[in-house]
Amino acid sequence: MFTSIKGEKVYKQVINQIKEMIIEGKLKKGDKLPSERDMAEQLGVSRASIREALIALEVVGLTESKQGSGNYIKETFDNTLIEPMSIMFILEDISIKSLYEFRRVLELEAVVISAKRIENSEIQVLEEVIDNLRNSNSEDEKSTLDKEFHYIIIKSTKNPLIINFFETISKLMDNFIKSSRGAILAAEETKDVLMSSHEKILESLKERNEENAYKEMKKHLDLIKNALHL
């Protein structure tokens, strides 16, 4: 079923073989994978490498583990983008710069669309997020609120493709936003700038001003770019 593996990044090669078998129709939705022991023997690798690959596949939503039964290719998926996008991010070495560029492309257009379509109820939620950001003394809480702020803008586009792309890599984006805040807040004088940046984006959305929304989001992303030395 599988072919012997040699070389570096063994778990990625395991993932790649499973991906190819799905593409070729040898593995289908709902199919049970061989046991860890059988896969390790067929591939000529350690069970630890097999376990690492299976954990990665489950994290991105391609497989599921059923207690006492084994590992299966999932039968249903929350969105149709999750398989190819998730596999790509596992198999490719995605850098912070690549994530930043993705976020820049996505969010600059998204905020313009949001300025046209955002609802008053979403504006109200953004205002609450900003208030909580301003009053919180916990950096973990602020990081969570920062992520929520950007997710609300994305969701307010009402564009399922934009939302799905963002959500598909949400784990990576979550970590990116958290690391971005850390880099920015390492310099004490930039804390107020970051807060002001969020407030100005919100103000432009409240005014439904597409041009200012783009301009303020660009400034916000430039702040991140400079902080990360990209």
Side-chain angles (χ1 to χ4, degrees):
M1 187 175 184
F2 294 96
T3 58
S4 179
I5 282 176
K6 294 180 180 179
E8 297 180 350
K9 298 182 179 178
V10 174
Y11 85 98
K12 288 190 177 183
Q13 294 184 55
V14 175
I15 292 169
N16 198 42
Q17 286 206 35
I18 293 174
K19 181 197 73 170
E20 291 301 323
M21 292 172 73
I22 293 171
I23 292 171
E24 294 168 3
K26 295 177 182 177
L27 282 174
K28 299 180 176 65
K29 291 181 179 181
D31 282 356
K32 182 179 179 179
L33 293 172
S35 68
E36 289 182 10
R37 177 179 296 175
D38 287 345
M39 289 178 69
E41 289 177 356
Q42 291 181 45
L43 294 166
V45 300
S46 69
R47 289 183 66 176
S49 295
I50 297 297
R51 195 171 298 115
E52 189 176 7
L54 291 173
I55 290 171
L57 287 168
E58 187 169 2
V59 165
V60 300
L62 186 61
T63 65
E64 60 182 339
S65 176
K66 298 181 181 179
Q67 190 169 5
S69 179
N71 296 287
Y72 294 78
I73 304 297
K74 287 190 71 173
E75 292 189 24
T76 58
F77 299 91
D78 292 335
N79 64 71
T80 57
L81 296 175
I82 193 166
E83 290 178 78
M85 284 291 289
S86 298
I87 287 292
M88 181 193 74
F89 277 99
I90 289 175
L91 295 176
E92 300 293 335
D93 292 322
I94 303 301
S95 66
I96 288 292
K97 184 176 182 180
S98 295
L99 276 173
Y100 168 79
E101 290 170 350
F102 178 89
R103 181 181 175 188
R104 187 180 184 93
V105 169
L106 189 65
E107 291 205 63
L108 282 176
E109 184 59 29
V111 78
V112 173
I113 298 172
S114 176
K116 302 175 188 176
R117 301 177 182 172
I118 194 165
E119 299 173 7
N120 288 335
S121 59
E122 291 167 323
I123 291 288
Q124 185 176 353
V125 175
L126 285 175
E127 289 177 328
E128 292 171 0
V129 171
I130 288 293
D131 284 342
N132 290 332
L133 261 174
R134 189 182 297 112
N135 297 322
S136 176
N137 293 317
S138 165
E139 185 48 41
D140 283 343
E141 182 182 10
K142 287 183 178 182
S143 179
T144 299
L145 291 166
D146 193 320
K147 290 180 287 187
E148 185 180 356
F149 181 87
H150 290 275
Y151 289 165
I152 293 166
I153 293 173
I154 291 291
K155 290 176 181 177
S156 69
T157 65
K158 314 299 190 293
N159 184 313
L161 283 175
I162 293 175
I163 296 168
N164 283 341
F165 264 102
F166 201 86
E167 290 182 343
T168 299
I169 61 161
S170 62
K171 189 72 174 179
L172 289 169
M173 295 301 290
D174 284 354
N175 292 336
F176 174 68
I177 292 173
K178 187 172 183 178
S179 66
S180 299
R181 283 191 61 89
I184 293 169
L185 296 178
E188 187 70 25
E189 65 273 12
T190 61
K191 289 184 179 180
D192 291 339
V193 176
L194 184 61
M195 188 70 240
S196 175
S197 178
H198 284 107
E199 291 171 340
K200 288 177 180 178
I201 292 170
L202 172 57
E203 192 61 32
S204 65
L205 292 175
K206 288 171 67 175
E207 296 172 355
R208 272 63 176 185
N209 189 318
E210 298 168 36
E211 184 177 348
N212 279 349
Y214 181 94
K215 181 178 70 175
E216 296 303 335
M217 182 61 79
K218 182 177 182 299
K219 287 180 181 178
H220 182 74
L221 294 170
D222 285 343
L223 178 65
I224 294 171
K225 180 180 180 180
N226 292 333
L228 296 175
H229 306 290
L230 298 176

